[in-house]
Amino acid sequence: MMEYIMHSLDILIFLSIPQTYIFAWFAFLFWGIRTEHLFVRLLWFTVISSIYLDMTFLALPTHFHIINSLISFFFFLRLFFKELNLRVRLLIQICFYTAVILHDTLAYIIISQLIDVDLILRGPTIYKILFMWPAFAAVAMLCLLFQRKRYYPAKKIRQFLTDAKDTAILHFITLIFIQTLTLSLFMITNYYTGYKIAALVLFYICLVMIVVVTLMSVRLFVKTREEAIRMTQNVYVGDLMQMLTSIRGQRHDFMNHIQIISSMLSMKKYDQLKHYIEEVSAHIHATEDPNSRLPSSAIAALVQAKAMIAADKRINFNYELPECPKSLQSLKIIDLVRVAGNLIDNAFDEAGLLPERERHVRFSIAVNDGMMTIKVGNRGRALSEEEKRIMFTPGYTTKERAHSGLGLPIVLEIVKKYNGNITILSDEEYDVVFELVLPVNNKLETETA
């Protein structure tokens, strides 16, 4: 009896507790949850959950032990970290078990080539230290690096998943985790044990999971495209309403101008009247560009709406739109509107953070040699190389939480759709310049409007 107790303590202290703590620590940091203030609770969670699982390990068959492990982990996570919502706890659990499964599978394959794997569990303590602790130490060093550099690989993804109203993506990630778990069990059962019937059952489960994940991937793809279209429609309906509001405001201002002009005429203040009319005329011409040739009515409406929004936000919005093909057979106007609208909105958001006199945004379209070049530049802070690398990731945003972080990913998707190219530059006038190059058909007739 004493020998059994000592053997159980040996596994608990040198395997279960270190592995649970280190990989739970990694799961927290991976999703961007800082652990400096959670050390004590994380330790208690590790010790109690490890003791419970080790006590029930011998009493349950292997497959029931896996189910018991999943349920108990979720229960203890809820018990010790009540401030974490359901989605975050699920993400932590998925990350934890994925990391543990990958570690244990690789360790099993490597160690089985060197010694009898049973020696790790039943042999002297030194075997546990020599063959398991190096991997534990490597993960612990990675966690320390994350914590010191405050680098959290999936923090933006967690914010996107937790803020999203739809749970389809979270369900998809859960299915991927279950598929990974099933596949790992199949490999171990089929290649390293003699349970051929169990391996066959797991094989069919893997096939079913592959079909389910594939179907759900297609469904998410379709749903994402529909959501992108819906968001685009909502944005431009909002722009249209903004334009109508601005027109009503201009009408109100016009009536005020007429009243003032009438009053000055009645009082025969001709010099003041001339000066006032010149000011009004200069203000009107400041928001117009009579030399511009807009490529289509849709782009014309978009630019005019954005110009009014820029005026309301006190942003100096310059645009250059020379004569372009009337219809673009290789480039849908709706896609062009989505690209231009998202880039202009992004530039407005960045410029709006600056003092009023520094708010400058420029938008231009040019067609040469069958290629359309779209440029959107804005004043603001320069982007780091890391930001340039991850800013097209869905859900990534540096703005308020109300932003979905889908604008730039939509732009990138459209650019890839047309085999185009997107580059982030900077010049002497603008700190950030998005340059897109898309192929068009030069043989089409040009607009005469």
Side-chain angles (χ1 to χ4, degrees):
M1 183 65 180
M2 182 58 65
E3 182 179 353
Y4 173 78
I5 294 175
M6 295 302 297
H7 175 69
S8 300
L9 287 175
D10 185 57
I11 294 176
L12 178 68
I13 295 172
F14 292 99
L15 279 184
S16 300
I17 290 178
Q19 184 180 54
T20 303
Y21 182 86
I22 290 171
F23 283 98
W25 184 19
F26 172 81
F28 273 75
L29 293 175
F30 180 80
W31 293 112
I33 302 171
R34 300 179 62 177
T35 57
E36 293 90 334
H37 61 292
L38 300 176
F39 173 79
V40 175
R41 279 192 288 166
L42 192 59
L43 184 60
W44 275 110
F45 162 78
T46 298
V47 172
I48 293 178
S49 61
S50 298
I51 291 174
Y52 170 79
L53 288 177
D54 282 9
M55 289 177 60
T56 57
F57 179 76
L58 296 177
L60 295 173
T62 302
H63 295 84
F64 286 103
H65 174 71
I66 294 173
I67 297 174
N68 178 57
S69 175
L70 293 170
I71 295 175
S72 63
F73 187 96
F74 182 83
F75 171 77
F76 288 119
L77 199 62
R78 171 69 177 83
L79 181 64
F80 285 95
F81 303 99
K82 294 181 179 179
E83 71 275 17
L84 301 179
N85 62 43
L86 175 61
R87 293 190 182 186
V88 174
R89 291 197 298 270
L90 285 174
L91 290 173
I92 290 173
Q93 183 161 357
I94 289 171
C95 181
F96 173 84
Y97 276 98
T98 301
V100 169
I101 289 169
L102 292 175
H103 168 267
D104 288 354
T105 302
L106 290 175
Y108 190 96
I109 294 173
I110 294 172
I111 294 173
S112 63
Q113 305 300 319
L114 302 175
I115 62 171
D116 185 358
V117 178
D118 287 342
L119 290 176
I120 302 297
L121 295 175
R122 307 183 188 283
T125 302
I126 190 63
Y127 283 103
K128 301 176 181 60
I129 297 175
L130 287 177
F131 290 99
M132 301 301 291
W133 279 30
F136 295 165
V139 177
M141 291 298 293
L142 184 64
C143 292
L144 286 173
L145 181 64
F146 285 170
Q147 189 165 291
R148 177 171 296 182
K149 299 292 185 179
R150 294 190 177 181
Y151 173 71
Y152 312 111
K155 181 179 179 180
K156 296 296 182 181
I157 299 175
R158 172 178 64 85
Q159 291 178 348
F160 172 70
L161 292 175
T162 53
D163 292 342
K165 295 181 180 180
D166 189 7
T167 59
I169 297 179
L170 186 60
H171 293 162
F172 178 72
I173 294 176
T174 305
L175 283 175
I176 291 292
F177 162 70
I178 296 174
Q179 186 180 25
T180 304
L181 175 64
T182 308
L183 184 60
S184 300
L185 289 174
F186 166 73
M187 292 178 61
I188 294 174
T189 305
N190 186 60
Y191 295 105
Y192 297 99
T193 69
Y195 303 116
K196 297 300 181 182
I197 296 179
L200 185 62
V201 172
L202 289 170
F203 173 75
Y204 285 117
I205 293 176
C206 288
L207 289 180
V208 172
M209 292 301 302
I210 290 173
V211 172
V212 172
V213 170
T214 302
L215 292 175
M216 195 164 187
S217 299
V218 174
R219 177 175 175 271
L220 277 176
F221 176 76
V222 173
K223 191 170 185 178
T224 301
R225 290 180 63 87
E226 292 175 350
E227 179 69 13
I229 294 173
R230 185 188 64 79
M231 288 178 58
T232 302
Q233 292 172 342
N234 289 342
V235 167
Y236 296 115
V237 167
D239 287 346
L240 180 60
M241 295 303 297
Q242 180 72 32
M243 183 169 62
L244 293 175
T245 301
S246 298
I247 291 173
R248 285 195 288 266
Q250 290 175 1
R251 178 180 178 275
H252 181 267
D253 292 341
F254 178 76
M255 296 301 298
N256 288 334
H257 294 323
I258 293 297
Q259 291 173 2
I260 293 172
I261 291 172
S262 177
S263 298
M264 287 184 175
L265 280 173
S266 64
M267 292 185 293
K268 299 182 179 180
K269 296 184 177 181
Y270 301 118
D271 291 337
Q272 293 91 330
L273 174 61
K274 179 181 178 182
H275 179 69
Y276 183 77
I277 291 176
E278 289 175 350
E279 286 187 353
V280 173
S281 177
H283 175 73
I284 293 174
H285 283 81
T287 58
E288 294 181 348
D289 187 359
N291 298 319
S292 293
R293 295 295 301 263
L294 302 176
S296 74
S297 58
I299 295 297
L302 172 71
V303 172
Q304 293 301 327
K306 296 301 183 186
M308 292 181 180
I309 293 173
D312 289 341
K313 294 183 176 182
R314 302 293 190 269
I315 296 174
N316 184 9
F317 179 45
N318 298 313
Y319 53 89
E320 180 181 347
L321 302 164
E323 185 173 359
C324 290
K326 181 178 181 180
S327 105
L328 307 169
Q329 289 183 352
S330 61
L331 179 62
K332 294 181 179 179
I333 291 298
I334 182 62
D335 287 335
L336 182 59
V337 168
R338 291 169 68 193
V339 166
N342 278 304
L343 289 179
I344 293 173
D345 287 341
N346 190 67
F348 281 1
D349 288 338
E350 291 297 324
L353 301 176
L354 300 174
E356 184 175 333
R357 65 180 181 277
E358 299 178 15
R359 298 173 185 171
H360 294 278
V361 173
R362 180 176 177 79
F363 170 66
S364 67
I365 294 180
V367 176
N368 293 296
D369 300 327
M371 304 298 291
M372 174 177 284
T373 302
I374 303 172
K375 290 185 178 181
V376 179
N378 64 269
R379 296 271 183 88
R381 64 182 185 86
L383 299 176
S384 66
E385 292 301 321
E386 176 66 15
E387 287 177 312
K388 291 180 182 179
R389 185 180 65 83
I390 66 174
M391 67 189 314
F392 293 100
T393 303
Y396 174 80
T397 178
T398 59
K399 306 177 183 69
E400 298 296 328
R401 296 175 69 89
H403 286 261
S404 63
L406 292 177
L408 291 179
I410 289 172
V411 171
L412 181 61
E413 178 188 358
I414 295 173
V415 170
K416 289 182 177 180
K417 172 183 175 181
Y418 292 102
N419 295 319
N421 183 50
I422 182 169
T423 309
I424 305 175
L425 309 169
S426 61
D427 54 33
E428 295 181 357
E429 186 175 3
Y430 296 99
D431 298 293
V432 179
V433 179
F434 285 86
E435 181 180 275
L436 281 70
V437 179
L438 301 171
V440 297
N441 192 334
N442 265 343
K443 297 182 180 180
L444 304 176
E445 65 182 40
T446 57
E447 183 176 19
T448 60

